[in-house]
Amino acid sequence: MWAKALCIGLLAFTVGLLNHLQPNIPKAAIGYLSSSLQSIISAEPSYSSLQSTEEAFAASWDRLIVSPRKQWGRVAVGVNACVDVVLSGVSLLQALGLIAHSAKDHLVLSSKEELANTFMHYMQQGAAAERFYSDSNSFADISSQASQDPRAQVLLCGPVGPKLHELLNEKIFVPPESLQEQDEYHLILEYKAGEQWGSAQAPAASRFIFSHDLSNGAMTSLEVLLSSLEEFQPNLLVLSGLHMMEGLSKESREERLGQAAASLSGVPSDILIHLELASMTDGDMMRGIIYQVFPFISSLGLNEQELLFLSQSASGPHSYISAWSGVPDIGIVSDIIFWILKGSENKTSALTRVHFHTLAYHILATIDGFWGNQMSAVAAGARIAGAQACANETIDPSRVTLKSPLEFSTSQEQTGGTARVSSQEPVAVWSREGVTFHFTPVLVCKHPTRTVGLGDAISSEGLYFSEANS
């Protein structure tokens, strides 16, 4: 900056001196020197260019995000309710006397050793996952040990026991039929980026969740929730917890999913339904959700693990990929989202909106004509991700970093399409056969204070700023 100021000063002095000493010098020469001076001055950076990239992105989001013209009146939420116990995964496993032997994924956990193996499997990938723990006595022992950790935190994340009822805001109405004598506890084992356990080192901060949750697994509150809609009269119904049915036997799971789909078919058409997916392992159940539940929902929220498993389960695009490597390819992700949304054309789905979130970026895709204000919605979801992971109310530019590519292919199935974002234009928009995509990077927290609940916060913020076209 000082070097440029010095150059400007010297050039200005030279122009003035020549004009004074040589009044007959051609005006063209003086004009040339003067224009050079002007070009240097105009190239002086503005204040915005002195900002960090992260600060500029955050400021652009703040300018971009506007409230929808028509806001949701009432929102009904169900049916997965529990008490989350959040603590260090490595600390708990060490307290249990477990040793990091080998990384192996178990679809259902039946012992502490299987817990250790599965935790290690996902920790070395830096990937979030959730599993059902089948042995109630063993789970009780683990829960008891977890409750003794002085650093453990309890969070509210259906069936409402006394502790959960105590945590609820007084403005939240809980149907009496949802109250039960005991709480359902989920143990959330967090780990930091770079943290080690045995030979496993986490490339990114994340969490592993497990529970022995029978009430949410049977979705005991679904019918109670749906029967309350007539009196409550919401504009939006937000559902989660279908993944908890993986704890049921195959026969019970198929029966309960069919019952749930039949109940959802009775929801009035003027109530939009958003479904938030979570980590799953059973392909039959995922296919059941696609073919039995998707016909009744309008909006879907999911992360990279759930998106890929959905495609694998139904032989969708890029289903040959066994797992993501690094930041999920944006073109591949958009191909799968496009395939999900186009299912509505052949009546296998009523979906008109998909909100995808991964660590480095978010994509919000909608079928044209159904939703508005989606540029604000996707930006708001990314903004809350960076703020909440760092446990801040707003983005702290010094604590976050960009990990997303800023220029990319919009499809791996179709060639030629590219998009780009910048700190001045942080949201990229493109269309494909009646589907519009909105993309924005995430300002990733360098040292996350919180990993649990981010997906819910992202989807909630995205829905809050979305406007449904009536």
Side-chain angles (χ1 to χ4, degrees):
M1 181 185 296
W2 289 110
K4 182 174 284 188
L6 180 60
C7 289
I8 292 171
L10 287 173
L11 186 54
F13 175 76
T14 301
V15 171
L17 185 62
L18 285 172
N19 193 45
H20 176 71
L21 296 178
Q22 300 289 338
N24 297 322
I25 193 170
K27 291 184 178 181
I30 296 294
Y32 176 79
L33 291 172
S34 298
S35 64
S36 298
L37 175 61
Q38 184 62 40
S39 66
I40 294 176
I41 294 173
S42 63
E44 184 71 13
S46 64
Y47 172 75
S48 62
S49 67
L50 300 178
Q51 295 176 302
S52 69
T53 302
E54 290 77 14
E55 188 176 5
F57 261 98
S60 292
W61 281 337
D62 289 340
R63 290 191 296 269
L64 185 68
I65 297 170
V66 296
S67 297
R69 292 170 299 174
K70 182 177 65 175
Q71 302 212 1
W72 305 105
R74 291 185 170 187
V75 178
V77 181
V79 289
N80 180 24
C82 61
V83 177
D84 286 342
V85 180
V86 187
L87 71 164
S88 163
V90 172
S91 297
L92 176 62
L93 296 178
Q94 289 175 338
L96 293 170
L98 296 170
I99 300 174
H101 285 302
S102 61
K104 182 180 179 182
D105 189 15
H106 294 272
L107 303 186
V108 175
L109 307 179
S110 59
S111 68
K112 297 175 183 177
E113 289 70 26
E114 290 183 355
L115 167 64
N117 294 341
T118 308
F119 174 83
M120 188 177 185
H121 173 80
Y122 285 100
M123 180 184 182
Q124 66 186 13
Q125 298 179 39
E130 185 167 353
R131 293 292 181 267
F132 179 76
Y133 200 103
S134 61
D135 188 322
S136 60
N137 293 328
S138 177
F139 181 78
D141 291 339
I142 298 172
S143 299
S144 176
Q145 183 67 51
S147 65
Q148 297 174 29
D149 189 323
R151 293 164 296 182
Q153 296 179 317
V154 177
L155 297 175
L156 166 66
C157 64
V160 179
K163 180 63 177 180
L164 183 54
H165 201 203
E166 175 187 324
L167 293 170
L168 289 174
N169 186 288
E170 61 181 10
K171 293 183 179 180
I172 298 177
F173 172 72
V174 179
E177 298 88 345
S178 291
L179 298 175
Q180 59 183 42
E181 294 182 0
Q182 293 184 329
D183 286 290
E184 296 289 0
Y185 284 86
H186 291 195
L187 299 185
I188 300 180
L189 309 188
E190 292 192 312
Y191 50 84
K192 300 176 181 177
E195 189 171 3
Q196 285 189 290
W197 191 53
S199 61
Q201 183 174 24
S206 194
R207 79 291 184 279
F208 180 80
I209 304 175
F210 67 105
S211 67
H212 182 79
D213 186 340
L214 299 180
S215 295
N216 283 305
M219 300 194 73
T220 56
S221 294
L222 178 61
E223 282 74 19
V224 174
L225 171 69
L226 298 182
S227 66
S228 303
L229 297 182
E230 183 177 358
E231 179 181 355
F232 189 65
Q233 295 187 335
N235 306 108
L236 176 67
L237 169 60
V238 179
L239 286 178
S240 65
L242 294 185
H243 66 289
M244 296 301 300
M245 285 192 282
E246 286 195 321
L248 302 176
S249 67
K250 181 178 177 60
E251 295 76 15
S252 298
R253 183 167 61 240
E254 291 177 352
E255 180 182 3
R256 189 67 186 104
L257 185 60
Q259 293 170 346
S263 297
L264 289 173
S265 69
V267 175
S269 59
D270 60 339
I271 300 176
L272 297 182
I273 303 176
H274 172 87
L275 174 63
E276 193 70 19
L277 287 184
S279 177
M280 294 174 59
T281 62
D282 188 280
D284 288 336
M285 183 176 167
M286 178 60 87
R287 283 187 290 275
I289 292 174
I290 294 170
Y291 298 119
Q292 297 182 64
V293 177
F294 279 16
F296 308 112
I297 65 173
S298 302
S299 176
L300 180 69
L302 74 175
N303 67 17
E304 74 277 12
Q305 306 295 333
E306 296 139 19
L307 182 84
L308 183 58
F309 185 64
L310 190 157
S311 185
Q312 291 170 339
S313 299
S315 301
H318 311 292
S319 56
Y320 60 87
I321 300 174
S322 59
W324 299 110
S325 178
V327 176
D329 182 276
I330 297 165
I332 291 176
V333 167
S334 65
D335 285 341
I336 300 175
I337 293 174
F338 177 77
W339 166 74
I340 293 172
L341 286 173
K342 296 304 282 186
S344 62
E345 291 189 346
N346 54 27
K347 306 304 181 184
T348 60
S349 168
L351 277 170
T352 54
R353 179 182 183 274
V354 173
H355 194 169
F356 168 83
H357 46 86
T358 188
L359 179 68
Y361 65 86
H362 296 169
I363 295 177
L364 212 169
T366 56
I367 293 180
D368 294 348
F370 287 90
W371 297 85
N373 208 42
Q374 295 306 279
M375 186 174 288
S376 293
V378 73
R383 183 175 64 178
I384 196 68
Q388 184 163 308
C390 286
N392 291 333
E393 290 294 325
T394 58
I395 294 284
D396 181 347
S398 68
R399 299 184 63 192
V400 295
T401 187
L402 280 167
K403 293 190 175 183
S404 169
L406 301 184
E407 187 169 358
F408 50 87
S409 297
T410 58
S411 172
Q412 293 297 338
E413 292 181 332
Q414 296 183 334
T415 59
T418 60
R420 191 178 188 280
V421 293
S422 67
S423 58
Q424 287 74 41
E425 297 183 1
V427 177
V429 183
W430 70 93
S431 295
R432 179 179 172 185
E433 298 178 29
V435 175
T436 298
F437 295 81
H438 292 80
F439 166 96
T440 195
V442 172
L443 294 175
V444 180
C445 187
K446 298 174 184 176
H447 305 290
T449 304
R450 186 178 305 159
T451 63
V452 65
L454 289 183
D456 295 335
I458 291 163
S459 289
S460 298
E461 197 80 349
L463 284 168
Y464 177 82
F465 282 94
S466 291
E467 181 176 347
N469 296 332
S470 54

